Amino acid sequence: MELICEDFHFYNNGVYKTISNLSPNGWFTDLKKVEPSIRIFGTKEQIEEALDTYIELTGMNLDESHDFKPEPKGSYWYEHRVRRFGEQQAIEQNKVVEKKLKEYKERYNKLSNNKALITTI
């Protein structure tokens, strides 16, 4: 049973939220587009079931998905981060991802319902 983690980003589908900000002229209210994103941790089968259920319950349309994992040295995304931010930043990002995956695994192991762990991102 291999545990994996994936990020899912959905189209807006016309969902907006109200935001209020203070400006020199006083408070103003505006609308901001909501672009929902979730992260699912579990087995491949659990992730597929959770994603299907989420889409069915929310009516959202999937835009894109990505694996959430440390990038091995030499991979496209690791080298992209090195070019953009430097080697140290690429190493630090992998440490952050590894820490998050460890946290997700601990939470997943506490679940007794044999379901995937879903969180917002």
Side-chain angles (χ1 to χ4, degrees):
M1 168 174 89
E2 180 185 7
L3 297 174
I4 58 174
C5 192
E6 293 186 48
D7 292 346
F8 298 94
H9 304 273
F10 298 88
Y11 287 106
N12 168 270
N13 287 1
V15 178
Y16 294 86
K17 70 178 180 178
T18 304
I19 57 168
S20 297
N21 290 314
L22 181 60
S23 72
N25 299 326
W27 286 95
F28 75 92
T29 302
D30 203 355
L31 294 176
K32 181 178 179 182
K33 189 188 306 188
V34 175
E35 295 179 2
S37 300
I38 60 172
R39 182 171 291 150
I40 306 177
F41 182 87
T43 64
K44 186 67 176 167
E45 295 78 20
Q46 289 172 333
I47 290 174
E48 289 172 2
E49 179 184 350
L51 178 62
D52 290 345
T53 301
Y54 183 85
I55 290 171
E56 185 179 316
L57 292 175
T58 64
M60 294 289 195
N61 295 310
L62 183 63
D63 181 14
E64 56 186 38
S65 67
H66 307 280
D67 293 334
F68 182 75
K69 64 179 183 178
E71 293 296 336
K73 194 169 189 170
S75 72
Y76 172 82
W77 290 112
Y78 183 88
E79 296 304 324
H80 175 74
R81 185 169 296 278
V82 168
R83 284 190 305 276
R84 189 149 185 226
F85 302 109
E87 181 84 23
Q88 189 59 37
Q89 178 63 26
I91 292 169
E92 289 299 317
Q93 180 63 28
N94 273 348
K95 287 180 183 177
V96 168
V97 170
E98 288 168 357
K99 183 178 176 184
K100 269 298 194 199
L101 288 172
K102 183 178 178 184
E103 178 186 325
Y104 294 151
K105 186 172 184 178
E106 289 172 2
R107 288 184 184 182
Y108 176 86
N109 287 336
K110 290 180 183 177
L111 296 174
S112 59
N113 61 2
N114 199 28
K115 300 282 184 184
L117 176 68
I118 303 174
T119 184
T120 58
I121 49 176

